[in-house]
Amino acid sequence: MLVKKTSKTTQGNKALKTMAVECVLATSRQNNRIASHRKRITKRQGKMKGRIASAHLLLTIAYNILKTGEPYHELGSNYLEEKQNNKELKMIEYLKKKGYTIAPSDQQTA
């Protein structure tokens, strides 16, 4: 059962928040990291929390661009799934190095 998490935004620049949310909504039809982040959060926590969380992600990306001076490289909408798959493959390789034998199973466990 999914339960909405409670959260409260702090007092800040209302114009910046509005602009960030508008930018997030502009990316909603695109196939990128910010749009997939908003959709993923919205499923669990609702529309407004998804918008604010994605606006926070967008501002974090902008801050890191300004801090490092490096251009932004889009990670893609399926970045988290690929990261999870790579993590599983690394775990399997680690277990094989330790001497365990890994056999693929047809059933998926929860």
Side-chain angles (χ1 to χ4, degrees):
M1 181 176 176
L2 298 174
V3 178
K4 284 189 178 182
K5 294 181 180 179
T6 60
S7 63
K8 203 169 206 175
T9 58
T10 58
Q11 295 295 319
N13 189 337
K14 290 183 180 181
L16 180 63
K17 177 178 147 183
T18 303
M19 183 270 317
V21 170
E22 286 294 323
C23 291
V24 166
L25 293 176
T27 64
S28 64
R29 293 185 182 200
Q30 297 174 357
N31 189 18
N32 59 19
R33 178 180 171 199
I34 298 167
S36 64
H37 181 264
R38 187 183 61 79
K39 289 173 189 170
R40 194 176 65 249
I41 300 293
T42 300
K43 278 194 280 186
R44 289 194 319 257
Q45 297 182 359
K47 261 196 288 192
M48 287 307 294
K49 287 186 183 179
R51 289 177 183 171
I52 297 297
S54 295
H56 182 264
L57 173 68
L58 186 71
L59 291 174
T60 304
I61 291 170
Y63 173 78
N64 285 320
I65 289 171
L66 293 173
K67 185 173 97 174
T68 62
E70 296 177 9
Y72 175 67
H73 299 287
E74 176 62 39
L75 297 175
S77 61
N78 57 352
Y79 169 72
L80 289 177
E81 290 86 17
E82 289 177 2
K83 188 175 178 182
Q84 181 66 28
N85 288 340
N86 288 341
K87 186 176 180 182
E88 290 171 359
L89 291 175
K90 285 181 181 178
M91 284 187 221
I92 290 171
E93 289 300 319
Y94 175 76
L95 290 173
K96 284 182 180 178
K97 284 181 184 177
K98 290 289 185 181
Y100 293 96
T101 56
I102 308 295
S105 63
D106 295 332
Q107 298 176 355
Q108 289 186 350
T109 56

